[in-house]
Amino acid sequence: MKLYTGRGDEGRTDLFGGQSTTKHAPRIEACGCVDELNATLGLAASGCTDDDLRALIHDLQARLFELGADLATPRPTGGETKDKAAIPRIADEHVKALEQRIDAIDAGLEAMRHFILPGGSELASRLHLARTVCRHAERCVVALAEQEDVGPTVIVYLNRLSDLLFAMARQANKLAGIADVPWHAPNR
């Protein structure tokens, strides 16, 4: 398989299902943001020495690949009664799995008594960066959802994922023996 097709040279791209759209369409923007998030998680994984945390990052990357496919496959409209897409859709069980991970990680962390700044260890900083990219992806999907059906759980999934990435960043600092960076109001 070639890496290039030339079909995108005119500023258009194909969705799953065969529809063609512009590369700046909200659906493509949302897919691109999820792809950026996935790449950012790859950067985090490359600096992760903890096997469990690295495995979690890789699991999240695999799910994000599915989420991207979900977004690239428009849902049925009009008279169609069934989603004929042969791709996995993000569902409630995926959100619940994130919530379980958040709770498990948070249970092992010191309770937060103040806001924290992104930083600490390099891995925590990378995970905080991934969290902000996740929030951007969430905003792009919300914009898409105002125009097209993205399903009931994609936005919720991205919202919980950003919370999980925050917890993972705090866990990375704990594993490195580095305190979270507390926020203090600047002297005025």
Side-chain angles (χ1 to χ4, degrees), residues 14-183:
D14 296 331
L15 299 172
F16 290 155
Q19 300 113 311
S20 177
T21 189
T22 64
K23 288 190 175 188
H24 66 81
R27 184 171 295 278
I28 301 307
E29 182 67 22
C31 291
C33 289
V34 169
D35 191 30
E36 288 172 21
L37 172 57
N38 208 331
T40 306
L41 283 174
L43 177 65
S46 71
C48 183
T49 58
D50 182 80
D51 291 340
D52 292 335
L53 200 51
R54 188 175 50 252
L56 175 54
I57 293 169
H58 287 152
D59 287 347
L60 295 172
Q61 286 186 284
R63 184 71 63 212
L64 284 173
F65 199 81
E66 291 178 350
L67 190 147
D70 187 341
L71 287 172
T73 310
R75 292 180 179 262
T77 59
E80 299 174 50
T81 58
K82 186 173 181 187
D83 187 353
K84 298 175 186 169
I87 55 102
R89 297 290 192 178
I90 297 301
D92 287 335
E93 69 228 30
H94 302 122
V95 174
K96 290 190 186 326
L98 292 180
E99 291 170 347
Q100 290 170 349
R101 296 278 190 156
I102 293 166
D103 292 343
I105 291 171
D106 195 48
L109 298 173
E110 184 178 318
M112 284 182 41
R113 292 178 177 75
H114 46 71
F115 290 110
I116 65 170
L117 297 174
S121 69
E122 184 173 345
L123 177 57
S125 297
R126 290 177 182 196
L127 288 165
H128 277 297
L129 176 61
R131 175 186 55 78
T132 65
V133 174
C134 186
R135 289 290 190 195
H136 182 236
E138 180 184 5
R139 291 189 303 272
C140 288
V141 173
V142 166
L144 172 62
E146 290 177 356
Q147 299 175 21
E148 299 181 50
D149 182 13
V150 297
T153 52
V154 173
I155 294 169
V156 178
Y157 183 88
L158 289 169
N159 187 276
R160 290 304 179 288
L161 179 55
S162 65
D163 295 335
L164 176 57
L165 293 170
F166 181 82
M168 290 167 64
R170 293 194 66 220
Q171 181 184 32
N173 276 339
K174 179 182 176 184
L175 291 170
I178 297 173
D180 289 323
V181 181
W183 172 79

